[in-house]
Amino acid sequence: MLLDGISFKNTGYFSSLICDYLDENPRLKPFYNRFPNLDNFKEQIEEKASSFSLESRLTLVKALKNQYRKVETSELTLSHIDALQTENTFTITTGHQLNLFTGPLYFLYKIVSAINLSKDLKEAYPDYNFVPVYWMATEDHDFEEINYFNFNGKKVQWNRTAEGPVGELSTDGLDDVFNLFALELGNSKNAEYLKELFKSAYLEHDNLADATRYLANELFKDYGLVIIDANDKVLKQELIPFIKEELFNNTSFTNVTETSEQLNAVNNDYTIQVNPREINVFYIKEGLRERIVFENERFSVLNTNLAWTKAEIEQELNEFPERFSPNVITRPLYQEVILPNLCYIGGGGELAYWFQLKQFFNKVNVPFPVLLLRNSVLVETESQHKKLQNLNISTNDIFLKQSTFINKKVREISNIDIDFSAQKETLQKQFEDLYALAEQTDKSFLGAVKAQEVKQIKGLEHLEKRLLKAQKKALADQVSRMTDLQNELFPNQSLQERNTNFSQFYLEYGKLLIPELIKHLNPLNKEFSLLKL
């Protein structure tokens, strides 16, 4: 059941850029197309429909059918793939790395957001079809980011060397990971399902892309999820003119750099998420993924002997488009070129770099999608929920940083008032009189008065901390219970969704887990949700 919600701003875990976006700060309007509400999708549909050709639809369906030829999926997913051939069908897309066994919980929340938004749009616009899509980041090469997941406070890790796109990595060696994970799971009915799921995904598929496709399909096929691997020659043929633009005109570098400067001018607190290079394309081939650079009138691939003239690299691109791989700057463009997409759903960090891309999209004449912050969730078990109630811990309390949280709760439950705010305010008012006296007599004493004020305020603060420490000791049992509870809900004092793997909750809730998320999460809700499952 949905327990409560808290604004993203009040969680303390989201940037000022994302909070301003959710508040629809007008100064951010130049950096996105349309804000995510149901009414705004009408114009988004019209814009995308006018720019996405039937030929591109047929190319997309051809590639998807080839990718699904060995996948046992649902009739709904197959019907969604077929529907993409028709001009009244659009996609709602989220993307994620190929994390081992899905990685952190927000993998689920991203896809649930895409599924539920597709449903909401179908109700609002019944003449159109909306297909939820999971874009597998098969071309990424940062293996260290994806080779583990956290289960019951332990790191389950795949140790091996890896080069090139992760989607092409052999699954050899994952049997050792399976054996260790199986021991941790136990022997319950839900544990046996998780073992079979891991085994079928990783021990019965040859590479990480196929394994991840199998896994995501098993979890979400009943909801018609379509999974796409863009590391595909058929699809990359669509990108050829945009890669040429990137190689020869450095279009993204110029436009993204300008946009980043404009974002900084709006607010210095906005962290620039990515910095463009002059060429934002990698070259991939047989375990290789390295940047393409232009030096000494030749295009070359870093850390290799590969090099071409302008005519030669153009020929290479035309003959082998699959060897050219977009980076974080150009991948979003690739997505919007090959999909009839209306909306991209991502986390705060992802949306932050999408805001840097609007001018670039305008320049290459590709419609910019609606940007939606994915659902964020804190899941409480029945036991944890009861403990929160018994300890009188509110939603706002539990999101506080631990030291602030404990200090606040100790003050609340203590029989002694250990808040010296009133005393410090009185002291500051007394010093105002001393400042006035020094002004009238000898201004050289102002520094001495200030020093005395600082000393006495610090003295009060020191005494307050000592008394608070003593009271914590007197209330050690309650402090311990509150600390333990917050640590359970915020592993490593971070958001649960960024740390815990879904398997930890599947052990308890089994097949109810995903349907309950589908049932209770509203993709257009602008709050962080708390759920008791």
Side-chain angles (χ1 to χ4, degrees), residues 339-435:
L339 293 177
N341 195 49
L342 303 177
C343 177
Y344 183 74
I345 298 172
E350 288 177 280
L351 296 200
Y353 71 70
W354 274 87
F355 288 127
Q356 296 175 245
L357 305 179
K358 177 65 162 53
Q359 183 175 320
F360 170 44
F361 271 68
N362 290 347
K363 183 67 176 180
V364 295
N365 199 30
V366 174
F368 197 72
V370 172
L371 300 179
L372 176 64
L373 184 66
R374 63 167 172 80
N375 283 124
S376 279
V377 186
L378 177 64
V379 178
E380 299 173 10
T381 64
E382 182 70 37
S383 171
Q384 289 166 339
H385 181 61
K386 287 180 180 178
K387 288 178 184 177
L388 287 167
Q389 290 181 316
N390 291 338
L391 292 167
N392 195 30
I393 297 173
S394 71
T395 295
N396 284 333
D397 287 343
I398 201 64
F399 275 88
L400 293 171
K401 300 305 178 187
Q402 192 159 94
S403 60
T404 306
F405 165 61
I406 295 302
N407 288 344
K408 179 177 186 294
K409 298 310 293 182
V410 166
R411 287 189 174 99
E412 287 177 5
I413 63 180
S414 175
N415 294 323
I416 307 167
D417 186 5
I418 314 177
D419 185 351
F420 284 9
S421 299
Q423 288 85 347
K424 284 185 276 188
E425 187 177 338
T426 299
L427 189 63
Q428 286 167 337
K429 287 181 179 178
Q430 291 173 341
F431 270 93
E432 286 176 9
D433 294 335
L434 292 175
Y435 282 124

Side-chain angles (χ1 to χ4, degrees), residues 45-186:
I45 290 169
E46 292 170 353
E47 182 180 21
K48 192 67 181 185
S50 67
S51 68
F52 200 77
S53 69
L54 178 59
E55 182 181 1
S56 291
R57 289 182 177 277
L58 296 177
T59 299
L60 172 63
V61 172
K62 176 183 177 182
L64 285 171
K65 286 189 172 182
N66 182 55
Q67 292 178 17
Y68 270 84
R69 70 189 186 281
K70 295 181 181 178
V71 180
E72 291 185 17
T73 192
S74 65
E75 288 298 320
L76 183 56
T77 291
L78 293 175
S79 70
H80 277 167
I81 292 172
D82 283 332
L84 287 168
Q85 298 174 97
T86 62
E87 295 180 347
N88 67 335
T89 300
F90 299 89
T91 60
I92 304 298
T93 303
T94 191
H96 196 64
Q97 295 170 295
L98 306 192
N99 294 70
L100 188 61
F101 213 46
T102 76
L105 269 167
Y106 66 77
F107 173 85
L108 266 62
Y109 304 154
K110 281 183 168 184
I111 294 176
V112 168
S113 297
I115 289 167
N116 282 344
L117 181 58
S118 298
K119 290 180 178 178
D120 290 348
L121 287 170
K122 183 63 177 176
E123 289 183 14
Y125 302 98
D127 292 337
Y128 297 93
N129 302 313
F130 304 93
V131 176
V133 170
Y134 162 44
W135 179 289
M136 295 195 298
T138 56
E139 295 178 65
D140 282 1
H141 61 269
D142 196 340
F143 181 67
E144 299 302 317
E145 288 189 359
I146 68 163
N147 69 343
Y148 69 95
F149 62 94
N150 296 310
F151 178 78
N152 280 342
K154 297 180 180 179
K155 191 173 187 178
V156 180
Q157 188 163 353
W158 181 19
N159 293 308
R160 58 159 293 174
T161 58
E163 294 180 340
V166 294
E168 298 175 0
L169 287 180
S170 166
T171 51
D172 289 347
L174 278 169
D175 50 344
D176 292 335
V177 177
F178 170 73
N179 292 333
L180 290 172
F181 183 41
L183 291 174
E184 294 289 336
L185 284 170

Side-chain angles (χ1 to χ4, degrees), residues 197-316:
L197 184 62
F198 190 103
K199 183 179 178 182
S200 297
Y202 295 103
L203 306 189
E204 297 176 10
H205 291 87
D206 295 332
N207 60 61
L208 197 53
D210 289 347
T212 305
R213 182 189 293 108
Y214 174 88
L215 181 59
N217 180 67
E218 283 300 301
L219 293 174
F220 291 104
K221 63 185 177 184
D222 291 345
Y223 303 96
L225 180 70
V226 172
I227 302 157
I228 187 168
D229 179 357
N231 190 10
D232 185 303
K233 182 172 184 175
V234 171
L235 294 174
K236 285 195 174 175
Q237 287 172 341
E238 297 278 288
L239 196 61
I240 288 174
F242 299 94
I243 295 293
K244 288 181 181 178
E245 180 75 18
E246 184 66 20
L247 293 173
F248 305 142
N249 297 321
N250 304 144
T251 306
S252 68
F253 174 75
T254 302
N255 288 276
V256 174
T257 299
E258 287 180 5
T259 305
S260 301
E261 291 170 355
Q262 291 163 7
L263 264 172
N264 263 334
V266 170
N267 189 332
N268 284 331
D269 290 338
Y270 292 167
T271 301
I272 297 304
Q273 201 71 14
V274 292
N275 292 300
R277 300 183 184 276
E278 290 187 351
I279 296 175
N280 293 282
V281 180
F282 288 93
Y283 188 81
I284 56 177
K285 186 179 179 183
E286 298 169 359
L288 169 75
R289 189 177 191 242
E290 291 283 357
R291 287 198 296 120
I292 298 174
V293 295
F294 184 68
E295 297 173 334
N296 302 318
E297 300 302 314
R298 289 178 68 81
F299 294 90
S300 60
V301 179
L302 288 181
N303 302 314
T304 75
N305 295 320
L306 294 168
W308 305 272
T309 64
K310 179 178 178 180
E312 288 169 344
I313 199 170
E314 188 167 6
Q315 181 180 350
E316 179 81 1

